[in-house]
Amino acid sequence: MEFPVTSESASVGLLEQLVGFPTVSRDSNLALISFVADYLRGFGIASELFHNKERTKANLFATIGPGDRGGIVLSGHTDVVPVDGQNWSVDPFRLTRRDGRLYGRGTADMKGFIASVLATVPALAREDLAVPVHLAFSYDEEIGCVGVGSLLEELQTRANKPRLCLIGEPSELRPILGHKGKIAARCRVRGFACHSAHSPSGVNAIEYAARLIAQLGRIGERLAQPGLRDTRFDPPFSTVQTGLIKGGTALNIVPAECEFDFEVRAVPGFDPERVVAELRDHAATEVEPRMRAVQADTGVSVDVVASYPALATDAHSEAARLLADWSGSAEFGTVAFGSEGGLYDRAGIPAVVCGPGSMDQGHKPDEFITVDQLARCDAMLARLARYLRHA
């Protein structure tokens, strides 16, 4: 496989290659993973792959340096969000250079970081590292951090578990120690259809779904009260929102089915399962009795689709100290979006977040990262490499 030869920085050239793989979460990432594995093999570095059940996607894990001790994980997800319905002025899966910006899907979130990591590999491979560095590139982060689980299960069984994980989500290279946790859930309402002229004889699934959505709104209002706030975050409280809804077949038919998806983004210390449990209780005590008074074979189900825990790394920990050294700043912050960091932390691997680009550009048409941000990330990873040599 050929790799780019360019007068630009190596990270820009590699980013061009990575953007060319349309790794939307609904599709396979194996072509990109094969590219990365071949690239690493060119420097004598072996890769381990952890596939999904269908073997259509894989996590990649590779180690540079001594294998008899715990090292530093550099983590990034390979999947990107869709471009459907977005008005792009450029081809989203071809890198476009314009006025110091690099446009393409995933440039900020988060192939820019992966490109910078890969650009650092040749120097790392030449060194006699005192501390190993592990590369961990996952799938399906964008649909709830569901892909990295198989990799973390394996790492927990190893004698030399990594000491620290640096996740390169776009933070404009600000050192981040915390983010909210999340639950994504789906509520299904099973009603009873009839002609709309006789609507009192039916059970309107959409109308009962609306009652449940209204209850979620009331829960969200409670969570915003001052006593439940954490001022480290913006917004400084846990949030609840309904993002998708579908139901009904025709205007003159009382709808028998309706489902909606909602999410809870929770500050550290608040268990988002509480919202799911409260909605289930409200359905059982307030909604289903009214539905079944009309038709017995009706009901509500609420199922968790995906979840990940919050991250709250101690500012006085070794992880925080090292991140300050590598990033050049001890002005630690938090972000509102999530990452795989909480899962690494729960697996016993302290996690921090610091990466190039801004989430202000992520998930949008004409997503971009600046050349300067990539260069600054290259410099941060060079400082990390010095630590790996001399620690």
Side-chain angles (χ1 to χ4, degrees), residues 15 23 38 64 110 119 123 185 188 193 208-209 211 250 259 261 280 282 292 342 344 361:
L15 180 58
T23 52
D38 286 349
I64 307 171
M110 57 180 296
R188 294 183 175 90
Y208 280 102
R211 298 186 185 204
E259 70 175 41
D261 293 355
R280 286 175 179 149
H282 182 77
R292 289 169 180 165
Y344 272 94
Q361 280 75 55

Side-chain angles (χ1 to χ4, degrees), residues 321-350:
R321 177 181 59 79
L322 290 174
L323 179 60
D325 290 344
W326 301 334
S327 67
S329 173
E331 295 184 7
F332 302 122
T334 65
V335 288
F337 61 82
S339 80
E340 296 166 339
L343 294 170
Y344 272 94
D345 189 67
R346 191 167 66 185
I349 303 170

Side-chain angles (χ1 to χ4, degrees), residues 252-295:
N252 60 353
I253 300 175
V254 172
E257 302 287 341
C258 183
E259 70 175 41
F260 61 89
D261 293 355
F262 67 95
E263 68 170 23
V264 185
R265 293 185 180 265
V267 296
F270 177 77
D271 182 1
E273 286 274 7
R274 291 171 54 185
V275 175
V276 176
E278 183 171 343
L279 188 69
R280 286 175 179 149
D281 181 70
H282 182 77
T285 60
E286 300 295 331
V287 175
E288 288 180 323
R290 289 181 171 85
M291 297 170 66
R292 289 169 180 165
V294 179
Q295 179 60 235

Side-chain angles (χ1 to χ4, degrees), residues 137-202:
F137 303 141
S138 65
Y139 66 89
D140 282 358
E141 188 273 350
E142 293 289 6
I143 58 175
C145 299
V146 300
V148 75
S150 59
L151 172 58
L152 290 175
E153 287 175 8
E154 171 62 23
L155 293 183
Q156 288 183 87
T157 68
R158 299 190 174 182
N160 300 306
K161 190 161 60 175
R163 292 168 48 192
L164 166 65
C165 178
L166 170 60
I167 298 175
E169 290 280 4
S171 70
E172 298 180 286
L173 294 166
R174 295 180 298 113
I176 301 299
L177 300 184
H179 63 65
K180 294 179 179 181
K182 176 182 171 179
I183 271 187
R186 178 164 296 146
C187 179
R188 294 183 175 90
V189 181
R190 186 178 71 259
F192 183 74
C194 69
H195 195 290
S196 62
H198 303 285
S199 57
S201 300

Side-chain angles (χ1 to χ4, degrees), residues 58-80:
N59 302 305
L60 180 145
F61 187 76
T63 298
I64 307 171
D68 61 348
R69 65 202 71 174
I72 308 300
V73 179
L74 301 179
S75 171
H77 63 82
T78 62
D79 60 317
V80 297

